[in-house]
Amino acid sequence: MPDAIDPINAVSQTAGTGSPIIHALFGGTFDPIHYGHLLPVQALAQLVGLNKVILLPNHVPPHRPQPEATAQQRLEMVHLAIQDNPLFTVDTRELTRQTPSYTIETLKSFRQELGEQRPLAFIIGQDSLQTIHTWYKWEELLDNCHLLVCSRPGYKSQLSTPEMQQWLEKHQVDTPFPLSQKPCGHIYLAATPLLNISATDIRQRHHQGLSCDDLLPPSIQNYIDSQGLYKQ
Ligand code: ATP
């Protein structure tokens, strides 16, 4: 597998625009990675003007059951999914940490490398925004990054309590422009394509011997078959 490039120090301005680049991270269990991860984030990158997105496979996800594929298998699937796509790179700091993959810790470690001034964003799906108040030290997230939220079918943009809705409205921006003007603190709800795909559904379809052809890249399907994954 090729080593991940170092996007943090590679470029500091978006070519042509003069705006500071936004360093964007996208964390997930990726068990397996699928088009519901890749396509909305590609659309988001276009909307916001991201020229690099760093995928962060987690080792021990704190909010959910443990993955079926091993950390190494999930990482290999991520590498295969992005091998011909220069938008994406991978960072393994969460995978190599033996403690739960708390996003706040990851953000702080990126923040330390980037310094206080450079814009840093964390990408999530709408379902994750709905439960963000359950994340460890969630109130500190926006002190370290912006949140970029991809649409996901079946999840509203309205949050579940008046307090959370107030928090969202306080930080929400309607256009991507302010994201490059501040290091952190904004939430941008992006109108990305709606893809009704989840890794849970893909694992279940494999258990049932059903095809997943339109749900994930062929290279991932071949890897799943060759490793005998999700058979139970
Ligand atoms: P699982 O079904 O195993 O819970 P998942 O498909 O939701 O997995 P994760 O790896 O848990 O995938 O998700 C990583 C991130 O990708 C999360 O922020 C999640 O909200 C987002 N995401 C996953 N699938 C989609 C989708 N179809 N559309 C938009 N965002 C998605």
Side-chain angles (χ1 to χ4, degrees), residues 26-37 40-41 58 64 122-129 135 150-153 192-203:
F26 182 41
T29 311
F30 304 130
D31 183 25
I33 191 163
H34 53 68
Y35 285 137
H37 297 126
V41 172
N58 8 104
R64 46 168 293 147
F122 194 78
I123 300 170
I124 55 176
Q126 191 71 58
D127 56 311
S128 299
L129 183 67
W135 290 23
C150 293
S151 317
R152 190 166 185 178
T192 52
L194 291 168
L195 284 143
N196 196 5
I197 303 176
S198 73
T200 303
D201 182 45
I202 290 174
R203 292 192 302 273

Side-chain angles (χ1 to χ4, degrees), residues 88-108:
F88 294 106
T89 185
V90 190
D91 184 287
T92 56
R93 74 189 66 194
E94 289 202 347
L95 265 191
T96 50
R97 215 190 284 150
Q98 290 306 314
T99 50
S101 299
Y102 290 123
T103 300
I104 189 66
E105 310 293 352
T106 305
L107 291 171
K108 285 182 176 168

Side-chain angles (χ1 to χ4, degrees), residues 171-191:
H171 296 285
Q172 191 174 352
V173 288
D174 295 331
T175 69
F177 177 73
L179 300 166
S180 59
Q181 307 303 305
K182 263 178 59 168
C184 56
H186 293 312
I187 304 174
Y188 179 61
L189 305 190

